């Protein structure tokens, strides 16, 4: 473990768990005008390079117009599904290959957020060519600070403060001791990561991306992408919420 890693208290974890719900995929949730607007925003903001992928983030404390627009949209559009919530961070992300992108690592969507973390709302924007690609969500959770990445991106340190190497992650909840990951699922979806990275993990859901859909899951859920080597471009909007 990183010696600088911060941990939440048991009371804070209990509060986070109060808002748990199974991952959901809402197909045809967005209308064409909404998708076009998000693409327009993404195409007009400067692209920032992050571990061989383009990433732009906007946080609540930035008070940026992009954050204000999308935060209001999310709270209005998802209120009937999620109730009252606030938006912590908004990402636009583009990655041409899973071999070097941060979404290829097994991680939770946490960073340094000290609030009661809640949901990730993932909205696919571009899939080129039109082939199958997935978000793999595991049954295991990580509650603490930092991104909690299992493994590294090549030889590079990824952009979270915490990297958990295989077999050295005792803070992961629901980890299955002496459990070897399903090899059929591994060979079908996850060969871009070392098999040892999945030791002790079990599948919660495998959700296929669809333009116009929205994928919602707990920010504490460990998850990663599939090995989308046949794609030339994969872009999405990610909205992190808190209570």
């Amino acid at each position: 473990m990183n010696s600088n890693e911060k941990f939440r208290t048991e009371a804070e974890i209990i509060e986070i768990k109060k808002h748990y719900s199974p991952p959901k995929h809402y197909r045809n949730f967005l209308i064409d005008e909404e998708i076009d607007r998000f693409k327009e925003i993404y195409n007009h903001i400067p692209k920032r390079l992050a571990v061989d992928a383009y990433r732009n983030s906007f946080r609540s404390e930035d008070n940026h117009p992009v954050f204000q627009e999308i935060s209001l949209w999310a709270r209005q559009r998802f209120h009937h599904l999620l109730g009252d919530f606030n938006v912590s961070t908004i990402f636009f992300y583009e990655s041409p290959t899973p071999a070097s992108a941060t979404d290829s690592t097994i991680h939770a969507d946490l960073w340094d957020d000290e609030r009661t973390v809640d949901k990730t709302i993932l909205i696919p924007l571009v899939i080129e060519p039109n082939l199958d690609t997935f978000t793999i969500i595991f049954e295991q959770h990580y509650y603490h600070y930092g991104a909690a990445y299992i493994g590294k991106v090549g030889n590079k340190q990824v952009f979270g403060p915490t990297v958990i190497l295989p077999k050295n992650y005792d803070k992961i909840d629901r980890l299955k001791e002496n459990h070897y990951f399903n090899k059929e699922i591994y060979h079908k979806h996850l060969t871009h990561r070392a098999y040892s990275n999945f030791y002790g993990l079990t599948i919660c859901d495998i959700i296929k991306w669809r333009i116009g859909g929205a994928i919602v899951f707990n920010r504490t859920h460990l998850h990663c992408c599939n090995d989308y080597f046949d794609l030339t471009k994969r872009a999405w909007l990610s909205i992190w919420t808190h209570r």
Side-chain angles (χ1 to χ4, degrees):
M1 291 283 182
N2 188 319
S3 60
N4 296 320
E5 189 173 5
K6 293 170 58 180
F7 300 111
R8 296 185 196 274
T9 65
E10 187 61 32
E12 289 172 325
I13 293 172
I14 290 172
E15 189 63 28
I16 290 171
K17 288 182 176 180
K18 288 180 181 179
H19 305 289
Y20 271 5
S21 58
K24 296 287 187 181
H25 184 202
Y26 300 101
R27 301 184 185 184
N28 303 313
F29 186 84
L30 283 76
I31 61 175
D32 290 344
E33 288 80 1
E34 291 172 318
I35 299 170
D36 290 343
R37 174 55 182 155
F38 293 147
K39 287 182 179 179
E40 179 185 25
I41 293 172
Y42 185 63
N43 288 331
H44 285 85
I45 54 179
K47 300 298 190 296
R48 305 172 188 170
L49 191 64
V51 195
D52 298 333
Y54 287 113
R55 172 175 59 86
N56 275 275
S57 63
F58 302 90
R59 295 192 173 197
S60 56
E61 55 267 31
D62 298 337
N63 200 33
H64 193 283
V66 168
F67 179 90
Q68 298 301 327
E69 177 181 346
I70 297 176
S71 174
L72 177 62
W73 173 86
R75 286 184 282 114
Q76 291 177 339
R77 290 287 271 117
F78 287 90
H79 184 267
H80 68 293
L81 299 171
L82 304 178
D84 293 329
F85 64 86
N86 296 295
V87 175
S88 303
T89 309
I90 292 166
F91 292 92
F92 284 93
Y93 213 125
E94 176 187 321
S95 179
T97 167
S100 58
T102 51
D103 72 312
S104 76
T105 60
I106 306 161
H107 65 282
D109 292 339
L110 299 173
W111 270 16
D112 57 354
D113 199 335
E114 296 184 356
R115 295 161 290 200
T116 302
V117 298
D118 194 19
K119 305 298 181 196
T120 292
I121 302 170
L122 189 159
I123 298 172
L125 297 178
V126 179
I127 306 170
E128 295 178 356
N130 187 21
L131 299 173
D132 290 350
T133 187
F134 303 86
T135 291
I136 316 295
I137 303 172
F138 302 96
E139 292 181 315
Q140 287 65 38
H141 293 259
Y142 186 80
Y143 306 106
H144 306 287
Y145 300 101
Y149 293 98
I150 295 178
K152 296 186 178 182
V153 179
N155 293 321
K156 300 178 182 180
Q157 175 77 36
V158 292
F159 59 82
T162 304
V163 171
I164 301 177
L165 297 178
K167 300 186 182 182
N168 185 27
Y169 36 75
D170 61 311
K171 291 293 184 182
I172 293 179
D173 189 31
R174 305 181 188 179
L175 195 70
K176 304 285 187 181
E177 290 189 18
N178 301 316
H179 174 81
Y180 290 91
F181 190 74
N182 184 301
K183 286 191 175 182
E184 181 178 354
I185 294 175
Y186 173 76
H187 287 294
K188 184 176 182 180
H189 292 296
L190 297 165
T191 54
H192 59 302
R193 306 304 304 169
Y195 179 72
S196 60
N197 286 177
F198 301 93
Y199 181 83
L201 302 184
T202 49
I203 291 291
C204 175
D205 208 343
I206 299 174
I207 300 179
K208 180 180 175 180
W209 282 27
R210 290 177 170 83
I211 302 299
I215 301 169
V216 179
F217 54 93
N218 305 301
R219 284 174 62 182
T220 58
H221 260 302
L222 292 181
H223 61 283
C224 68
C225 68
N226 72 308
D227 49 357
Y228 52 91
F229 286 108
D230 291 331
L231 298 183
T232 57
K233 186 175 180 181
R234 186 179 191 261
W236 65 100
L237 167 63
S238 186
I239 302 169
W240 293 1
T241 76
H242 69 274
R243 296 284 175 168

